[in-house]
């Protein structure tokens, strides 16, 4: 994507899966473009992005349902890109579960093992173990349509995991569940992942879900990987404007920078300033785009003194959304002509105190270390 | 991002409240149910009336006839005797009945063998051309069955298309006996009933969730194995419908053996037709019809029960 981002296949000597220059075209449409990705053994790895970003296509290529137009897919070091799905040691949990409706739970789970021609008693033991793992030991003889969505989901999981694949692929497996069940299943999945030690590749468009569950996340957009990193890295140091706005909320500031020996600053007049720490690579760009997370910003009364080293902007409160633990404000910043989002902890708000109200003037301050310089895209 | 846990509690308790509700809402629902029942009756009425007039009544007439006997001038003398039924199950017709079932069975197997791949192709790989393929399957219906069967005579007879080409190419010296053989009758039945097999198969394969096939592959099943263990078991309803739609009319068919068959391809449909039209023994023809129907009904019952339960197991 951008030249500043290091290649994503570097730190992966013993990859479970490695994508090298994988491209998938459907006619004129390029779904995935020159994708390089290394997924570590035992990792919980998420492919995160909006619909149409190519994450599901990527997963389907790893599973073998789509053949890449170009590139290699190395599973345990062997290129499987042109092998049919039944010759890959990979199993999938489908979005709609895809349980065989004519087979009961037990037979669904045994389906893969039967193909491996294992002895009957071994199949029975492993199926029973897998069902116990997903807490469905007592539902072995039920038909899929006699189970709730959450239970069907767990059968699908057991059916895939019982084969002990090198990699387990999960295609938005919790998409059809309601919020409460979804939260519960997230924890269960995480727990199961820890216990079985199998590499999980998880496709989702839900950033919160990806952040909660993953060891690492690849954020995808328009067929390419924007950034790969741990949830903290992606949230705290977004590598692009897309990542900054897709994962959580970000406030963006752009302007011309005046550099001194110790710092840079965007001066906006009337005491307003955005201080920028010196980039470690020694670059001194003339214009920058910064992102600041809403919870890093504090609101102060418009008359209050601001410490010299802090960033400071003036704004007018537009909307106040009280969320219990926090309050979310949106403020119009006249000097940038932008609306900023600010999240305040309700720590100091006692019952008799009032929140900021719409129309009030306020000062926004934050420490310069919270500014993230984004690579100028399309500049 | 923690949501207060108590939201779940209200969700959980809501259905209970609804379930116990006997207020205006549930009364309205039950009124609506009664209403939709009336609508359903209204919608079914024309078909019911039609079936009553043109199926149930004629069947009743035939049933009455079947216990009567033939008058001197081909009329029916009403009575209550089982003579016709005893004659219907007499051994002289056994070869004819067996032949009818054999021909219809082979034709059903052939239409299934040809129709399944065709329906599978259209349902799974048809894409945007699905409707074109389906129209092509149905195109033969645009011409009368009689005319289509006559054209097989043109193709199969001694100086017909096939023999002429084979002789011209010096593959054979003398024309082959294609027409008026079991071969030509089975061919005619297979040809004529193929759409009746293809369409229900298509309907059930079209409904099939394609991700189930992918799931089978994903779990290590080769294409053949996925077909045998997932696709075919899940299309059993279509297979049942298709085989019944082909087998039942094929057993009783008289047009095809009449036009394409010979003396040794007589089917039970021909016998019934002869009783009504040539022998003018309507009572006996009626008894034969009813006997055939009874055998078919028992057969269908056993078949559906066997295949249907295997599907459920």
């Amino acid at each position: 994507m951008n030249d500043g981002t290091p290649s994503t296949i570097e730190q992966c000597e013993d990859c479970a899966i490695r994508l090298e220059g994988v491209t998938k075209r459907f006619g004129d449409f390029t779904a995935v473009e020159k994708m390089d990705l290394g997924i570590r053994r035992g990792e919980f790895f998420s492919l995160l992005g909006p619909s149409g970003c190519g994450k599901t296509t990527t997963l389907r290529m790893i599973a073998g349902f789509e053949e890449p137009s170009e590139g290699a897919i190395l599973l345990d070091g062997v290129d499987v890109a042109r092998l049919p799905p039944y010759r890959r040691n990979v199993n999938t949990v489908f979005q709609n579960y895809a349980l065989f409706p004519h087979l009961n739970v037990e037979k669904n789970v045994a389906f893969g093992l039967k193909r491996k021609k294992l002895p009957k008693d071994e199949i029975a033991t492993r199926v029973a173990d897998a069902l116990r793992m997903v807490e469905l030991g007592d539902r072995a003889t039920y038909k899929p349509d006699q189970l709730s969505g959450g239970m069907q989901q767990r059968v699908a999981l057991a059916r895939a995991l019982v084969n002990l694949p090198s990699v387990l692929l999960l295609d938005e497996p919790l998409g059809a569940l309601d919020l409460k069940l979804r939260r519960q299943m997230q924890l269960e999945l995480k727990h199961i992942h820890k216990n079985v030690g199998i590499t999980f590749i998880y496709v989702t468009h839900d950033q919160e879900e990806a952040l909660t569950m993953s060891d690492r996340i690849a954020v995808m957009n328009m067929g390419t990987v924007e950034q790969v990193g741990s949830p903290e890295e992606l949230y705290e140091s977004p590598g692009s404007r897309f990542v900054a706005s897709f994962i959580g909320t970000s406030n963006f500031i752009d302007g011309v920078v005046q550099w001194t020996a110790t710092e840079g600053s965007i001066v906006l007049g009337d005491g307003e300033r955005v201080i920028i720490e010196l980039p470690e690579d020694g670059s001194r760009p003339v214009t920058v785009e910064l992102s600041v997370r809403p919870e890093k910003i504090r609101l102060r009364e418009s008359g209050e003194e601001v410490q010299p080293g802090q960033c400071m902007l003036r704004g007018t409160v537009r909307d106040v959304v009280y969320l219990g633990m926090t309050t979310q404000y949106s403020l119009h910043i006249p000097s940038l002509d932008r609306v900023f989002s600010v999240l305040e902890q309700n720590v100091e708000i006692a019952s008799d105190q009032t929140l900021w109200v719409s129309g009030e003037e306020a000062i926004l301050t934050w420490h310069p270390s919270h500014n993230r310089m984004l690579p100028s895209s399309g500049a | 991002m923690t949501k207060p846990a108590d939201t779940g509690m209200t969700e959980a308790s809501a259905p209970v409240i609804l379930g116990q509700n006997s207020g205006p809402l549930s009364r309205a629902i039950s009124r609506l149910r009664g209403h939709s029942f009336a609508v359903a009756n209204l919608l079914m009425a024309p078909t019911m009336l039609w079936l009553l007039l043109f199926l149930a009544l004629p069947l009743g007439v035939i049933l009455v006839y079947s216990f009567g006997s033939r008058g001197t001038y081909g009329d029916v003398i009403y009575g209550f005797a089982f003579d016709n039924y005893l004659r219907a199950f007499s051994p002289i017709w056994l070869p004819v009945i067996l032949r009818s079932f054999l021909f219809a069975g082979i034709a059903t197997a052939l239409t299934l063998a040809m129709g399944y791949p065709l329906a599978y192709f259209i349902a799974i790989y048809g894409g945007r051309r699905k409707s074109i393929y389906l129209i092509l399957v149905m195109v033969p219906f645009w011409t009368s069955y009689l005319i289509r069967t006559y054209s097989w005579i043109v193709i199969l007879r001694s100086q017909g298309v096939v023999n002429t080409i084979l002789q011209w190419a010096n593959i054979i010296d003398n024309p082959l006996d294609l027409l008026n053989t079991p071969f030509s009758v089975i061919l005619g039945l297979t040809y004529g009933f193929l759409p009746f097999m293809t369409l229900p198969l298509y309907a059930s394969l079209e409904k099939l969730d394609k991700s189930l096939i992918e799931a089978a592959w994903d779990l290590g099943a080769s294409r053949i194995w996925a077909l045998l263990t997932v696709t075919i078991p899940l299309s059993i309803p279509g297979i049942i419908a298709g085989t019944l739609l082909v087998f039942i009319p094929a057993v009783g068919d008289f047009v095809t053996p009449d036009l394409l068959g010979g003396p040794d391809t007589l089917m039970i449909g021909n016998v019934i037709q002869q009783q009504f039209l040539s022998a003018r023994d309507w009572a006996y023809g009626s008894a034969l019809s009813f006997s055939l129907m009874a055998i078919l009904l028992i057969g269908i019952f056993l078949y559906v029960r066997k295949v249907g339960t295997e599907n459920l197991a």
Side-chain angles (χ1 to χ4, degrees), chain A residues 253-264:
Chain A
I253 305 159
D254 45 12
V256 180
V257 190
Q258 293 166 358
W259 297 100
T260 69
T262 52
E263 60 180 32

mmCIF file of all heavy atoms in Angstrom, chain A residues 253-264:
data_model
loop_
_atom_site.group_PDB
_atom_site.id
_atom_site.type_symbol
_atom_site.label_atom_id
_atom_site.label_comp_id
_atom_site.label_asym_id
_atom_site.label_seq_id
_atom_site.Cartn_x
_atom_site.Cartn_y
_atom_site.Cartn_z
ATOM 1 N N ILE A 253 -6.841 16.113 11.695
ATOM 2 C CA ILE A 253 -6.365 17.492 11.616
ATOM 3 C C ILE A 253 -5.349 17.523 10.488
ATOM 4 O O ILE A 253 -4.452 16.673 10.445
ATOM 5 C CB ILE A 253 -5.644 17.925 12.919
ATOM 6 C CG1 ILE A 253 -6.569 17.711 14.119
ATOM 7 C CG2 ILE A 253 -5.141 19.354 12.827
ATOM 8 C CD1 ILE A 253 -5.830 17.618 15.443
ATOM 9 N N ASP A 254 -5.481 18.463 9.549
ATOM 10 C CA ASP A 254 -4.388 18.604 8.591
ATOM 11 C C ASP A 254 -3.995 20.071 8.464
ATOM 12 O O ASP A 254 -4.793 20.966 8.757
ATOM 13 C CB ASP A 254 -4.729 17.991 7.232
ATOM 14 C CG ASP A 254 -6.123 18.362 6.775
ATOM 15 O OD1 ASP A 254 -6.725 19.278 7.393
ATOM 16 O OD2 ASP A 254 -6.627 17.746 5.822
ATOM 17 N N GLY A 255 -2.768 20.290 8.104
ATOM 18 C CA GLY A 255 -2.306 21.660 8.002
ATOM 19 C C GLY A 255 -0.832 21.735 7.665
ATOM 20 O O GLY A 255 -0.161 20.712 7.478
ATOM 21 N N VAL A 256 -0.348 22.960 7.571
ATOM 22 C CA VAL A 256 1.053 23.200 7.259
ATOM 23 C C VAL A 256 1.833 23.251 8.574
ATOM 24 O O VAL A 256 1.397 23.886 9.533
ATOM 25 C CB VAL A 256 1.221 24.542 6.501
ATOM 26 C CG1 VAL A 256 2.687 24.797 6.174
ATOM 27 C CG2 VAL A 256 0.376 24.526 5.232
ATOM 28 N N VAL A 257 2.965 22.550 8.613
ATOM 29 C CA VAL A 257 3.723 22.420 9.853
ATOM 30 C C VAL A 257 4.912 23.367 9.850
ATOM 31 O O VAL A 257 5.595 23.534 8.842
ATOM 32 C CB VAL A 257 4.236 20.978 10.036
ATOM 33 C CG1 VAL A 257 4.815 20.792 11.433
ATOM 34 C CG2 VAL A 257 3.136 19.979 9.770
ATOM 35 N N GLN A 258 5.107 24.017 11.004
ATOM 36 C CA GLN A 258 6.341 24.783 11.205
ATOM 37 C C GLN A 258 7.220 23.968 12.123
ATOM 38 O O GLN A 258 6.827 23.632 13.233
ATOM 39 C CB GLN A 258 6.014 26.145 11.818
ATOM 40 C CG GLN A 258 5.235 27.018 10.859
ATOM 41 C CD GLN A 258 4.604 28.215 11.528
ATOM 42 O OE1 GLN A 258 4.693 28.403 12.742
ATOM 43 N NE2 GLN A 258 3.971 29.044 10.718
ATOM 44 N N TRP A 259 8.418 23.609 11.641
ATOM 45 C CA TRP A 259 9.303 22.750 12.421
ATOM 46 C C TRP A 259 10.344 23.577 13.149
ATOM 47 O O TRP A 259 10.910 24.489 12.595
ATOM 48 C CB TRP A 259 10.012 21.730 11.527
ATOM 49 C CG TRP A 259 9.056 20.765 10.864
ATOM 50 C CD1 TRP A 259 8.594 20.812 9.591
ATOM 51 C CD2 TRP A 259 8.468 19.603 11.466
ATOM 52 N NE1 TRP A 259 7.743 19.764 9.339
ATOM 53 C CE2 TRP A 259 7.648 19.001 10.491
ATOM 54 C CE3 TRP A 259 8.546 19.024 12.737
ATOM 55 C CZ2 TRP A 259 6.932 17.852 10.732
ATOM 56 C CZ3 TRP A 259 7.837 17.878 12.959
ATOM 57 C CH2 TRP A 259 7.024 17.298 11.971
ATOM 58 N N THR A 260 10.599 23.260 14.425
ATOM 59 C CA THR A 260 11.732 23.817 15.162
ATOM 60 C C THR A 260 12.639 22.641 15.486
ATOM 61 O O THR A 260 12.387 21.519 15.035
ATOM 62 C CB THR A 260 11.277 24.489 16.464
ATOM 63 O OG1 THR A 260 10.826 23.460 17.365
ATOM 64 C CG2 THR A 260 10.163 25.483 16.210
ATOM 65 N N ALA A 261 13.697 22.882 16.269
ATOM 66 C CA ALA A 261 14.631 21.816 16.605
ATOM 67 C C ALA A 261 13.974 20.771 17.488
ATOM 68 O O ALA A 261 14.364 19.605 17.481
ATOM 69 C CB ALA A 261 15.867 22.389 17.310
ATOM 70 N N THR A 262 12.964 21.132 18.248
ATOM 71 C CA THR A 262 12.400 20.203 19.223
ATOM 72 C C THR A 262 11.020 19.686 18.855
ATOM 73 O O THR A 262 10.610 18.635 19.326
ATOM 74 C CB THR A 262 12.301 20.889 20.603
ATOM 75 O OG1 THR A 262 11.598 22.133 20.419
ATOM 76 C CG2 THR A 262 13.672 21.154 21.186
ATOM 77 N N GLU A 263 10.308 20.433 18.046
ATOM 78 C CA GLU A 263 8.946 20.004 17.734
ATOM 79 C C GLU A 263 8.426 20.692 16.487
ATOM 80 O O GLU A 263 9.048 21.622 15.964
ATOM 81 C CB GLU A 263 8.014 20.315 18.909
ATOM 82 C CG GLU A 263 7.979 21.815 19.214
ATOM 83 C CD GLU A 263 7.062 22.158 20.387
ATOM 84 O OE1 GLU A 263 6.956 21.335 21.291
ATOM 85 O OE2 GLU A 263 6.474 23.245 20.357
ATOM 86 N N GLY A 264 7.285 20.211 16.037
ATOM 87 C CA GLY A 264 6.594 20.888 14.941
ATOM 88 C C GLY A 264 5.278 21.402 15.460
ATOM 89 O O GLY A 264 4.794 20.947 16.505
#
